[in-house]
Amino acid sequence: MKYRFALRADTLKGSEIREILKLTELPEIISFAGGLPAPELFPVETITQLTNKILTEEGQLALQYGSTDGLPLLRQIIANERMALAGVTTTADNILITSGSQQGIDFCARIFLNDGDYVICEDPSYLGALGVFNTYHAKYLPIPMDDDGMIIEELEKTLQAYPQAKVIYTIPDFQNPTGRTMSIERRKQLAKLAAKYQVVVMEDNPYGELIFEGKRNPAIKSFDQDGWVIYMGSFSKTFCPGYRIGWTCADQELINKFILLKQTTDLQSSTIAQREIAYYMRDNSLDEHIQEIIKVYKARRDLMLDSIAQYFPAAIKYTYPLGGLFTWVELKSEIDTAALLLEALKENVAFVPGAAFFPNGGHRNFLRLNYSNMADERIVEGIKRLGKVIQRYYE
Amino acid sequence: MKYRFALRADTLKGSEIREILKLTELPEIISFAGGLPAPELFPVETITQLTNKILTEEGQLALQYGSTDGLPLLRQIIANERMALAGVTTTADNILITSGSQQGIDFCARIFLNDGDYVICEDPSYLGALGVFNTYHAKYLPIPMDDDGMIIEELEKTLQAYPQAKVIYTIPDFQNPTGRTMSIERRKQLAKLAAKYQVVVMEDNPYGELIFEGKRNPAIKSFDQDGWVIYMGSFSKTFCPGYRIGWTCADQELINKFILLKQTTDLQSSTIAQREIAYYMRDNSLDEHIQEIIKVYKARRDLMLDSIAQYFPAAIKYTYPLGGLFTWVELKSEIDTAALLLEALKENVAFVPGAAFFPNGGHRNFLRLNYSNMADERIVEGIKRLGKVIQRYYE
């Protein structure tokens, strides 16, 4: 290697599993490996009209540079509506528009993590966040989960044992990869522990509004009294991901640092995309649109879980997601789901093997299934095929 | 301060000059402080038709997630047309779509700079790049310039004295802030020195296509035989900045690292924005559009330089930009342009004081003027007002 890279560049390596997952995109494969929203639900017609109006009435403004922190109207609607729905009282001044919530994760890591710092997270956790933390050579303190999310007693033990840990990363609603939801009681406890141990909580919440029954859960941020919680939201799952618009909500001292970081990394997010989303929310009901998404995803979840019950061995376990895009399947411990994927591909069906989601490794018998982006008959057929492959290990 | 930030976060501080520059946005001020393209030249009508077509014919695709490296068609047109214009023979596989060329700068820094590494750059250099390098606590080795750009003999002395330096950052065409252009001979020499000393060249080139007379200069990258030059381009100045679309062109080993970094930082740039620009270039002549921009900017440059000749003291010096957006004025050494700005604001005219562009400081008597985004009569009136303020120091 001739280039003298920074130390962190050693983490930027392709992975074997990523190469295999490319195969899952072949058209003949029924793939539960993705995490895409259903494009047939994008409000394309309304967006077309809106875009025409924006370009006709203020095209020059919409295509020019804008401010680094984001379009004031968009920040205001996010503060007053989306954050309020999550039980958080805040103002536009506490919102930074980011290029997806992914960018918020990167900014948090960049602002808080020195090389080799500890990150506390759920075990398993979101692959894309682990990828970010890896570039800072983070060390992981994964906290076991149950059906109510991260086990708080375990978290406190870890905080006591590792007072140098700076960051707790969590996806409280319909977690990726497990589909699990943190209980409200645990959210309160988590907010308290963060203040007690002076640790920042990265609350990654791209799915929270896609709740299949009942009302949006209060965010951990809603129980935050002293500014320890940083909330990251996104329009990728509730509107459409192609615009790359998300946000970070944090206390003043923090958000100011985030804005300065945004300035250096990419100046700002798309001016016109911010207008599209802001005006959409001003002139239409995003809540009604989200209800349509929920109706479809809930039906797909039901169909997937029913199919699993029918076609998978009775001995397996799987989560019952109350919202979001994923369910998580546990097979018997001797099964390696990476090897299983190769067998599944022969039957033209795919999933994501679970091992990579565990930051410190050690669990090879899990798999993640996505149900948001697939027609009913393919869900049934795909689960049937996958069941056939799994059954071989249970005979 | 209650938060335990990463060490690098200490560089994310507001600056006094940034606060003052906010004043320059007041409507009564004629401000030469910006660096915006002229919005009246954005092809708004064509974009409107194009967007309608995209949303009608492939709305679901255009609003969905896309691939991290970018839209294949866009990467191909960039390789075959924009890079070819700069004399670079390359393929789509060597192009990553970024959120403006700014993101390419950040990626380079992130991939190459350990804390405290040396960065070689022009003296003065682009503020936004210095902001990025600062977050890595870079140490600077600024190279003096003359009207032909970075002085290559000085560069080689520096490379000999500091073999540990990893990166040379340069804006060869119509540099920000000076408006100067690196001679073709020096580009060749720079490419050779990079290979000889195994240093990476970050060739930041957002303005190169806006050349007022003659043909596009060959990029430094066009003289690169062994992959030491990383080229960063942008559509912000030749199309419109609101979409936040730029690109990085580098050899395979490097671009693969960039793509993996893009994946962790924000997954991808806007799917629909990439389509807009790709289809615009496929269906229209971007070159013809750029000719229109050039016509306007050239006239504005002429008017600004004529006005400077008329209203500024004869003793001052200023650059004659052959393209781009800026000219650079040197006043006598006892004048501090930060103080001058406060006086200028009283006369409702503004500019950027030059001190911040010098990475190691030490030059307070320069100022940067932008001419791209202002009507003729305001250019004349603004330069007249500024001349009045400057004259006070020369009586």
Side-chain angles (χ1 to χ4, degrees):
Chain A
M1 191 169 68
K2 65 185 180 185
Y3 300 108
R4 289 175 285 163
F5 291 114
L7 293 173
R8 72 181 72 80
D10 64 2
T11 64
L12 299 170
K13 283 182 299 215
S15 70
E16 210 181 314
I17 192 72
R18 207 188 282 263
E19 290 308 307
I20 294 170
L21 287 174
K22 278 185 189 163
L23 297 176
T24 67
E25 289 163 21
L26 297 172
E28 63 270 27
I29 306 252
I30 296 181
S31 176
F32 303 116
L36 304 188
E40 65 272 24
L41 300 174
F42 297 159
V44 178
E45 264 184 56
T46 313
I47 289 175
T48 310
Q49 290 160 17
L50 203 56
T51 311
N52 269 313
K53 200 164 134 66
I54 290 170
L55 286 170
T56 309
E57 291 177 6
E58 45 173 11
Q60 292 185 18
L61 265 178
L63 297 170
Q64 183 60 287
Y65 284 110
S67 66
T68 296
D69 45 10
L71 185 74
L73 177 67
L74 179 59
R75 299 164 74 206
Q76 191 195 315
I77 296 178
I78 289 170
N80 295 351
E81 298 180 11
R82 302 345 286 174
M83 293 308 301
L85 253 183
V88 178
T89 307
T90 189
T91 71
D93 288 342
N94 294 94
I95 307 288
L96 166 68
I97 304 302
T98 56
S99 297
S101 54
Q102 182 74 27
Q103 191 174 46
I105 299 174
D106 183 49
F107 284 4
C108 280
R110 197 153 161 175
I111 284 175
F112 284 101
L113 297 183
N114 290 319
D115 229 50
D117 271 350
Y118 283 100
V119 169
I120 296 172
C121 64
E122 285 137 358
D123 199 29
S125 184
Y126 166 52
L127 214 50
L130 302 179
V132 172
F133 300 139
N134 286 343
T135 67
Y136 298 96
H137 296 127
K139 286 181 279 192
Y140 293 100
L141 301 166
I143 308 295
M145 306 177 77
D146 61 21
D147 279 342
D148 286 334
M150 198 185 273
I151 297 171
I152 295 294
E153 294 69 29
E154 297 291 329
L155 171 64
E156 182 149 25
K157 273 188 224 160
T158 299
L159 287 166
Q160 283 166 345
Y162 296 89
Q164 70 272 46
K166 284 175 170 177
V167 162
I168 302 169
Y169 172 77
T170 176
I171 307 168
D173 287 295
F174 329 127
Q175 198 232 19
N176 182 356
T178 65
R180 288 177 183 133
T181 300
M182 188 183 285
S183 70
I184 295 177
E185 186 50 35
R186 286 194 185 170
R187 292 171 198 234
K188 287 183 194 165
Q189 291 171 329
L190 179 53
K192 259 193 203 149
L193 287 180
K196 181 173 170 189
Y197 291 92
Q198 310 215 312
V199 176
V200 158
V201 177
M202 293 170 59
E203 179 175 19
D204 186 12
N205 209 317
Y207 315 114
E209 303 203 26
L210 302 178
I211 183 164
F212 298 155
E213 280 130 44
K215 268 177 36 180
R216 174 93 165 80
N217 291 311
I220 301 167
K221 177 90 187 138
S222 74
F223 304 111
D224 174 31
Q225 305 200 321
D226 297 306
W228 292 103
V229 182
I230 301 169
Y231 180 100
M232 285 155 287
S234 175
F235 292 105
S236 291
K237 308 302 186 298
T238 55
F239 189 64
C240 42
Y243 286 126
R244 310 304 306 124
I245 299 291
W247 71 91
T248 295
C249 173
D251 272 30
Q252 208 60 54
E253 179 186 353
L254 288 182
I255 208 78
N256 289 345
K257 289 230 181 251
F258 276 73
I259 293 168
L260 289 164
L261 185 55
K262 177 80 179 163
Q263 175 80 26
T264 79
T265 54
D266 61 4
L267 303 181
Q268 56 157 120
S269 292
S270 165
T271 322
I272 183 163
Q274 292 185 64
R275 277 184 158 68
E276 307 261 4
I277 295 178
Y279 296 175
Y280 181 90
M281 290 193 290
R282 184 193 61 192
D283 302 339
N284 304 270
S285 167
L286 181 63
D287 292 325
E288 276 174 29
H289 176 62
I290 290 172
Q291 284 309 315
E292 284 176 48
I293 299 175
I294 286 172
K295 215 172 104 186
V296 173
Y297 288 8
K298 180 173 184 293
R300 289 178 181 171
R301 175 206 61 182
D302 290 343
L303 188 60
M304 178 172 276
L305 296 191
D306 289 351
S307 304
I308 288 176
Q310 188 172 352
Y311 296 111
F312 282 19
I316 64 133
K317 292 182 210 159
Y318 52 96
T319 56
Y320 182 84
L322 301 168
L325 278 63
F326 305 108
T327 184
W328 180 244
V329 179
E330 180 178 0
L331 306 181
K332 56 185 176 183
S333 59
E334 58 269 37
I335 301 179
D336 181 338
T337 54
L340 188 77
L341 175 60
L342 297 179
E343 290 185 54
L345 284 170
K346 288 184 202 151
E347 305 290 334
N348 287 332
V349 61
F351 56 84
V352 184
F357 296 94
F358 294 93
N360 290 348
H363 306 262
R364 316 232 8 126
N365 57 319
F366 291 84
L367 58 92
R368 191 192 74 178
L369 299 175
N370 166 262
Y371 49 77
S372 58
N373 186 22
M374 202 172 295
D376 290 359
E377 61 280 10
R378 281 170 72 84
I379 292 180
V380 177
E381 174 61 25
I383 293 296
K384 199 168 157 182
R385 291 183 195 170
L386 187 53
K388 205 172 99 187
V389 177
I390 295 174
Q391 286 288 4
R392 295 175 196 154
Y393 292 84
Y394 283 82
E395 274 155 12
Chain B
M1 190 170 66
K2 66 183 178 185
Y3 299 108
R4 289 176 286 163
F5 291 115
L7 293 173
R8 73 181 70 82
D10 64 3
T11 64
L12 299 169
K13 284 183 297 218
S15 70
E16 211 181 314
I17 192 71
R18 206 188 282 262
E19 290 306 308
I20 294 169
L21 287 174
K22 279 187 190 162
L23 296 176
T24 67
E25 289 163 22
L26 297 172
E28 64 269 29
I29 307 251
I30 296 181
S31 176
F32 302 115
L36 303 189
E40 66 272 24
L41 301 174
F42 297 158
V44 178
E45 265 183 57
T46 313
I47 289 175
T48 311
Q49 290 159 15
L50 203 55
T51 311
N52 269 312
K53 201 164 132 66
I54 290 170
L55 286 170
T56 308
E57 292 177 4
E58 45 174 10
Q60 292 185 17
L61 264 179
L63 298 170
Q64 183 61 287
Y65 284 110
S67 66
T68 295
D69 45 10
L71 185 72
L73 178 68
L74 179 59
R75 298 164 74 206
Q76 192 195 317
I77 297 178
I78 289 170
N80 295 351
E81 298 180 10
R82 303 343 287 173
M83 293 309 299
L85 253 182
V88 178
T89 307
T90 189
T91 70
D93 288 342
N94 293 95
I95 306 289
L96 165 68
I97 304 303
T98 57
S99 297
S101 54
Q102 183 74 27
Q103 191 174 45
I105 300 173
D106 184 48
F107 284 3
C108 279
R110 196 152 161 177
I111 284 175
F112 284 101
L113 298 183
N114 289 318
D115 230 49
D117 271 349
Y118 283 100
V119 170
I120 296 174
C121 64
E122 284 137 358
D123 198 30
S125 184
Y126 167 51
L127 214 49
L130 301 179
V132 172
F133 300 139
N134 286 343
T135 66
Y136 298 96
H137 296 126
K139 286 181 280 193
Y140 293 101
L141 300 167
I143 309 295
M145 306 177 78
D146 61 21
D147 279 342
D148 287 334
M150 199 185 272
I151 297 172
I152 295 293
E153 295 70 27
E154 297 291 330
L155 171 64
E156 182 150 24
K157 273 189 225 159
T158 299
L159 287 167
Q160 283 166 346
Y162 295 89
Q164 70 272 45
K166 284 176 171 176
V167 162
I168 302 170
Y169 173 77
T170 177
I171 307 169
D173 287 295
F174 330 128
Q175 197 232 18
N176 182 356
T178 65
R180 288 177 185 135
T181 299
M182 188 183 286
S183 68
I184 295 176
E185 187 49 36
R186 286 194 185 169
R187 290 171 200 234
K188 287 183 195 167
Q189 292 171 328
L190 179 52
K192 259 193 205 149
L193 287 179
K196 181 173 171 189
Y197 292 93
Q198 309 215 312
V199 176
V200 158
V201 177
M202 293 170 58
E203 179 174 20
D204 186 12
N205 209 317
Y207 315 114
E209 302 204 26
L210 302 178
I211 183 163
F212 297 157
E213 281 132 43
K215 269 179 32 183
R216 174 93 166 81
N217 292 312
I220 302 167
K221 178 88 187 140
S222 74
F223 303 112
D224 174 32
Q225 305 199 319
D226 298 307
W228 292 102
V229 182
I230 300 168
Y231 180 100
M232 286 155 284
S234 175
F235 292 105
S236 291
K237 308 303 186 295
T238 54
F239 189 64
C240 43
Y243 286 126
R244 312 302 306 122
I245 299 292
W247 72 90
T248 296
C249 173
D251 272 31
Q252 208 58 55
E253 179 185 353
L254 288 182
I255 209 76
N256 289 345
K257 289 232 181 249
F258 276 72
I259 293 167
L260 289 163
L261 184 54
K262 177 80 179 164
Q263 175 81 25
T264 79
T265 54
D266 61 5
L267 303 182
Q268 57 156 121
S269 292
S270 164
T271 322
I272 183 163
Q274 293 186 64
R275 279 186 157 67
E276 308 260 5
I277 296 178
Y279 296 175
Y280 181 89
M281 291 193 289
R282 185 192 59 192
D283 302 339
N284 305 270
S285 166
L286 181 63
D287 292 323
E288 277 174 29
H289 176 62
I290 289 173
Q291 285 309 315
E292 283 177 48
I293 300 175
I294 286 173
K295 215 173 104 186
V296 173
Y297 288 8
K298 180 174 184 292
R300 288 178 182 171
R301 176 206 61 183
D302 290 343
L303 188 61
M304 178 173 275
L305 296 191
D306 289 350
S307 305
I308 287 176
Q310 188 173 351
Y311 295 112
F312 281 19
I316 64 135
K317 290 182 213 156
Y318 52 97
T319 56
Y320 181 83
L322 300 169
L325 279 62
F326 305 108
T327 184
W328 179 244
V329 179
E330 179 178 0
L331 306 179
K332 56 184 177 183
S333 60
E334 58 267 39
I335 300 179
D336 181 339
T337 53
L340 188 78
L341 174 60
L342 297 179
E343 291 184 54
L345 284 170
K346 287 183 201 151
E347 305 291 334
N348 287 333
V349 60
F351 56 84
V352 184
F357 294 95
F358 293 94
N360 290 347
H363 306 261
R364 319 237 359 131
N365 57 319
F366 290 85
L367 57 92
R368 191 192 72 177
L369 299 175
N370 166 262
Y371 50 76
S372 58
N373 186 21
M374 201 172 294
D376 289 0
E377 61 281 8
R378 282 170 72 87
I379 292 180
V380 177
E381 174 61 25
I383 292 296
K384 198 168 158 182
R385 289 183 196 171
L386 187 53
K388 207 173 97 183
V389 177
I390 295 174
Q391 285 288 5
R392 294 176 197 154
Y393 291 84
Y394 283 82
E395 274 156 12

